[in-house]
Amino acid sequence: MPAPLLDSFGRLHDNLRISVTDRCNIRCYYCMPEHAVEFVPRSEILSFEEIERFARIAVRLGITKLRLTGGEPLLRRDLAGLVARLGAIEGVRDLALTTNGVLLAGQAEALYRAGLRRINVHLDTLDRERFLSITRRDELGRILEGIEACRRLGFQPIKINAVAVKNLAEPDIVPLARFGRERGIEIRYIEFMPLDAQGIWDRDKVLLAGDIVATLSREICPLIEVPDQDPRAPASQYRFSDGIGSIGFIASVSQPFCLNCNRIRLTADGHLRYCLFALEEFGVKGLLRGGATDGEIEALIRSTVEKKWLGHEINQGRFTPPPRPMYSIGG
Ligand code: SAM
Ligand code: SF4
């Protein structure tokens, strides 16, 4: 058995997020610029064969959880084929997808047949005009169809990711929570992070979990923090006191969970990162395309984990945002 993937602070790494593309079919303003987005040329994007090989090697080193993301992963032709390949790797215990849901209705069945069960759909609002102003695309209807398709097929869990931006997200909090409660879908709020392409983030634009808890408790029914949560899970969980529905918070800015981080990330263009906010990354594609042995790729994974820092520095004066925005790293 190879030694586990421990970093220099003793954190065990068993979770790999794989970005399969930097392209997207909508333009969320806290992620992408509206115009003139520069995408990586297709020839620089890892093929499914390359991703599968990398994942096999990572799983041998102790990775058990994989999540596909992007850009928008459903833009990759036959993503279900990749799901089937990754799900067949011995040692993968958890395979999940994060998507904006625009293309989900047409692909949900193929994804389900390929073995996918866990899905996170990104949706900030149920209001068409507000959706248009956030994403600069009129796609709310297709996303709702995609969520319904997943429910009919039996995906479990289905979660909705909403970005918590102050002075923007407030009108959507109660309608989204009701939508989730009625459908058995957990709504997860992700604090707005300094990973937008246009440099608009500032601390005052982060809507804090405490404010959302207060609103939901007042308008729907009290939220209660779930006891004995997995300390390695990024979200803190709350349940409505009437037993119907739950809400998660990914409070990366106000309550960083770096000390329990278990994740590494592979970008679509083949770079390995030990943190969303890392200022350095390590080239995998050259190895994959240059005839490297599995042992050489293992060594790169180990050395990336060993170099991992204690945590992001958003809350320190010296914080420097990474040169790549969210869509390019893979959220
Ligand atoms: N396109 C897919 C989607 O939107 O779910 C997958 C990629 S997207 C980069 C992954 C997640 O990042 C989304 O669910 C969205 O909620 C989150 N996200 C994007 N920009 C963000 C930002 N600046 N701060 C916090 N979360 C962000
Ligand atoms: Fe696309 Fe996801 Fe970024 Fe929105 S958050 S622009 S859906 S990659």
Side-chain angles (χ1 to χ4, degrees):
M1 265 302 269
L5 280 174
L6 284 174
D7 71 7
S8 62
F9 302 96
R11 292 172 296 197
L12 180 70
H13 286 67
D14 59 2
N15 191 318
L16 169 66
R17 298 180 75 111
I18 301 172
S19 173
V20 297
T21 180
D22 61 344
R23 285 160 207 261
C24 192
N25 42 9
I26 60 178
R27 293 284 181 276
C28 307
Y29 79 94
Y30 43 69
C31 178
M32 279 206 169
E34 183 166 12
H35 303 292
V37 190
E38 281 183 27
F39 295 115
V40 172
R42 284 183 206 276
S43 60
E44 298 302 313
I45 299 287
L46 294 185
S47 67
F48 285 177
E49 289 72 24
E50 289 166 339
I51 291 173
E52 184 190 349
R53 179 173 175 218
F54 181 84
R56 276 188 189 283
I57 296 169
V59 169
R60 239 184 274 142
L61 295 182
I63 296 290
T64 58
K65 297 177 185 171
L66 303 177
R67 177 174 292 273
L68 298 176
T69 183
E72 175 43 39
L74 297 184
L75 286 173
R76 273 301 282 266
R77 193 173 333 126
D78 190 27
L79 190 78
L82 179 63
V83 166
R85 283 163 177 250
L86 296 177
I89 298 175
E90 199 182 329
V92 172
R93 289 212 285 272
D94 187 351
L95 180 57
L97 172 71
T98 299
T99 171
N100 64 27
V102 173
L103 299 175
L104 193 52
Q107 296 187 33
E109 193 169 344
L111 290 165
Y112 192 87
R113 284 220 198 107
L116 188 74
R117 295 294 179 271
R118 297 170 65 84
I119 195 155
N120 286 41
V121 182
H122 169 203
L123 179 62
D124 297 324
T125 179
L126 298 166
D127 179 277
R128 188 173 167 192
E129 288 304 315
R130 292 173 56 71
F131 183 91
L132 185 59
S133 74
I134 294 168
T135 67
R136 296 112 162 198
R137 297 289 187 276
D138 189 10
E139 293 286 12
L140 175 61
R142 287 212 281 173
I143 296 172
L144 296 176
E145 283 168 24
I147 293 171
E148 274 317 298
C150 288
R151 291 182 66 219
R152 271 197 308 277
L153 286 159
F155 277 85
Q156 182 65 25
I158 303 170
K159 295 181 182 171
I160 287 181
N161 287 352
V163 180
V165 185
K166 199 168 185 165
N167 298 325
L168 182 93
E170 288 85 345
D172 299 309
I173 287 169
V174 171
L176 263 184
R178 292 215 160 100
F179 179 88
R181 268 160 65 87
E182 285 158 13
R183 291 166 181 76
I185 295 174
E186 177 179 309
I187 311 293
R188 306 183 118 198
Y189 281 98
I190 307 175
E191 284 183 350
F192 181 25
M193 295 185 262
L195 291 168
D196 57 297
Q198 299 171 135
I200 54 171
W201 184 90
D202 78 53
R203 189 168 300 279
D204 294 342
K205 292 188 181 134
V206 181
L207 179 58
L208 301 176
D211 295 337
I212 299 176
V213 171
T215 304
L216 292 176
S217 295
R218 190 178 61 241
E219 302 284 328
I220 299 183
C221 89
L223 273 172
I224 299 167
E225 196 163 2
V226 173
D228 302 325
Q229 299 184 35
D230 175 1
R232 301 176 79 211
S236 44
Q237 303 281 345
Y238 286 70
R239 292 225 171 84
F240 285 103
S241 59
D242 63 1
I244 306 171
S246 60
I247 305 282
F249 294 97
I250 302 187
S252 325
V253 179
S254 66
Q255 294 159 42
F257 37 85
C258 306
L259 295 181
N260 290 313
C261 184
N262 61 353
R263 281 173 289 281
I264 51 174
R265 296 165 183 271
L266 181 64
T267 67
D269 61 354
H271 290 86
L272 192 60
R273 301 176 62 84
Y274 52 67
C275 177
L276 252 183
F277 296 93
L279 299 175
E280 55 181 349
E281 54 186 29
F282 306 93
V284 173
K285 187 174 54 204
L287 293 179
L288 288 166
R289 294 188 180 173
T293 62
D294 286 4
E296 287 167 317
I297 294 167
E298 272 184 34
L300 180 90
I301 298 173
R302 283 198 188 285
S303 71
T304 301
V305 169
E306 279 159 15
K307 290 190 185 97
K308 183 161 177 152
W309 59 10
L310 186 57
H312 69 62
E313 297 175 339
I314 299 177
N315 296 315
Q316 292 162 35
R318 61 170 180 260
F319 175 69
T320 310
R324 289 168 177 255
M326 191 66 130
Y327 72 91
S328 161
I329 298 172

